[in-house]
Amino acid sequence: MGSRQQNRIVTLDEFIIKNQKSHDDATGSLTRLLRDIGIASKIVNREVNKAGLVNILGDADSGNASGDQVQKLDLFANRVMIECLENSGECAGVASEEDEKWIKLKTIKTRSADYVVVMDPLDGSSNIDVNVSVGTIFGIYKKLTKSKSGIKETDFFQKGHKMVAAGYVLYGTSTILVYTTGDGVNGFTLDPSIGEFCLSHKNIKMPDFGIYYSVNQGYYQKFDLEVRRYIDNCNDENYRLRYIGSMVSDVHRSLFKGGIFMYPNTRKYPHGKLRLLYECNPMAMIVEQAGGLAVDCKLNRILDVEVTEIHQRSTIAIGSKKMVEDFMDHVKKYSA
Ligand code: AHM
Ligand code: MG
């Protein structure tokens, strides 16, 4: 009986509800919101899996708000996420990589919509055409605007440490949803036979140190001296270079195996390429919750950086505590 109890499958929905019960002040709103994100990611997963079969692959005609090339699956994922968030009635607005401006969602009259969601609905989209992993990143904030359904741009301009939840979904060899509500990190693998995310990685702790480093080394000459010196050090130490070009996958590896992921400033991207609000911040919250660190190349803690624009870019070094500390030591030493 005991072992049967131990092996019992815990679904994402069950886990979220159980978690809510342990917070006396919880109203169930965040629970509903997280469940809707779970549903959206199952729908996105279905399309990602059959992307090669239907005519959903390839570039859409439009570029996204940031001028990058957009692929059809990005737009699909964006629409599904927004529709599911709207269904919950808990979310007042969304800021997405795929939309230039934040969007106010329709809310339910009888209920107040207390949250805003930031997201990159399909990160690493250049990988879609070649069957390489992509991911969804999301962060949830309690909105500052007091009225029931009201929302202002400043509701999105909150520092990362104000997030009440953050997560990502990795559509890889299997599909896994990893999230935190500020009380540890848990991972749920999608069992396609029952269509449920099942608890597979409980209370994830990131190794303090690892042998992997992830950076686009093709840009080596374009990085600042201090970053180049740190990369030289990674080479000297025989760390293994792994770079998928899909931040979710690269950070996911570090989360489990130990490692560091970096996207420093280059000539093309003087402030870094990745987006603070919906890429760096949610990943930073997860990594910190698992015991790791995330800083920018000026050594500010990512979660403390002021947000002033929806599509603000940031440099980032994120990963195992000791490796990020080592990166910071190199920056201090060589930028002087
Ligand atoms: P995207 O949101 O347009 O997909 O861009 C973000 C991605 C990250 O997942 C990845 O780490 C990075 O861009 C790769 O950029 P690069 O090809 O310059 O190395
Ligand atoms: Mg992205």
Side-chain angles (χ1 to χ4, degrees), residues 154-224:
T154 43
D155 288 319
F156 295 97
F157 294 167
Q158 300 186 55
K159 288 182 181 171
H161 68 249
K162 295 279 184 194
M163 264 181 294
V164 293
Y168 65 78
V169 186
L170 171 60
Y171 311 97
T173 40
S174 57
T175 296
I176 182 167
L177 185 151
V178 174
Y179 87 98
T180 178
T181 50
D183 191 13
V185 183
N186 293 284
F188 301 79
T189 303
L190 183 64
D191 180 342
S193 65
I194 56 169
E196 293 282 0
F197 281 107
C198 302
L199 181 61
S200 51
H201 300 82
K202 207 173 171 190
N203 198 15
I204 299 165
K205 293 284 173 232
M206 187 169 205
D208 270 352
F209 185 80
I211 52 162
Y212 295 108
Y213 74 108
S214 294
V215 65
N216 191 333
Q217 206 151 319
Y219 304 148
Y220 178 86
Q221 295 298 344
K222 294 165 182 110
F223 294 146
D224 292 340

Side-chain angles (χ1 to χ4, degrees), residues 224 263-276 280 296-298 302 305 309 311-316:
D224 292 340
Y263 205 113
N265 46 296
T266 59
R267 259 170 253 150
K268 184 173 174 195
Y269 296 117
H271 303 289
K273 177 189 178 190
L274 301 179
R275 312 307 171 135
L276 176 64
C280 300
D296 64 15
C297 288
K298 299 246 179 315
I302 289 285
V305 175
E309 276 174 51
H311 298 289
Q312 185 171 335
R313 295 184 194 265
S314 173
T315 54
I316 189 166

Side-chain angles (χ1 to χ4, degrees), residues 64 68 74 97-98 119-125 135 137 247-248 273-275 278-279:
N64 70 8
D68 301 332
D74 304 35
E97 170 153 22
E98 299 306 337
M119 63 171 182
D120 183 352
L122 212 62
D123 184 60
S125 49
I137 308 173
M247 185 203 200
V248 174
K273 177 189 178 190
L274 301 179
R275 312 307 171 135
Y278 45 77
E279 292 178 328

Side-chain angles (χ1 to χ4, degrees), residues 278-295:
Y278 45 77
E279 292 178 328
C280 300
N281 270 339
M283 297 311 275
M285 180 176 181
I286 294 162
V287 163
E288 280 201 5
Q289 278 292 316
L293 289 177
V295 295

Side-chain angles (χ1 to χ4, degrees), residues 2 4 10 21 82 95 105 113 145 160 164 199 206 222 235-236 243 253 259 265 290 294 317 329:
R4 219 196 301 159
V10 178
K21 285 187 186 144
I82 291 172
L105 297 188
T145 305
V164 293
L199 181 61
M206 187 169 205
K222 294 165 182 110
N235 287 315
D236 294 344
Y243 191 71
R253 184 194 312 97
N265 46 296
D329 288 344

Side-chain angles (χ1 to χ4, degrees), residues 30-31 55 94 161 176 184 194 200 240-242 251 263 315:
L30 185 59
T31 299
N55 188 23
V94 183
H161 68 249
I176 182 167
I194 56 169
S200 51
R240 293 170 200 168
L241 171 64
R242 295 283 187 276
V251 173
Y263 205 113
T315 54

Side-chain angles (χ1 to χ4, degrees), residues 209-213 230 233-241 260 323 326:
F209 185 80
I211 52 162
Y212 295 108
Y213 74 108
Y230 178 70
N233 171 73
C234 291
N235 287 315
D236 294 344
E237 298 287 343
N238 284 327
Y239 297 163
R240 293 170 200 168
L241 171 64
I260 183 167
M323 296 179 91
D326 203 14

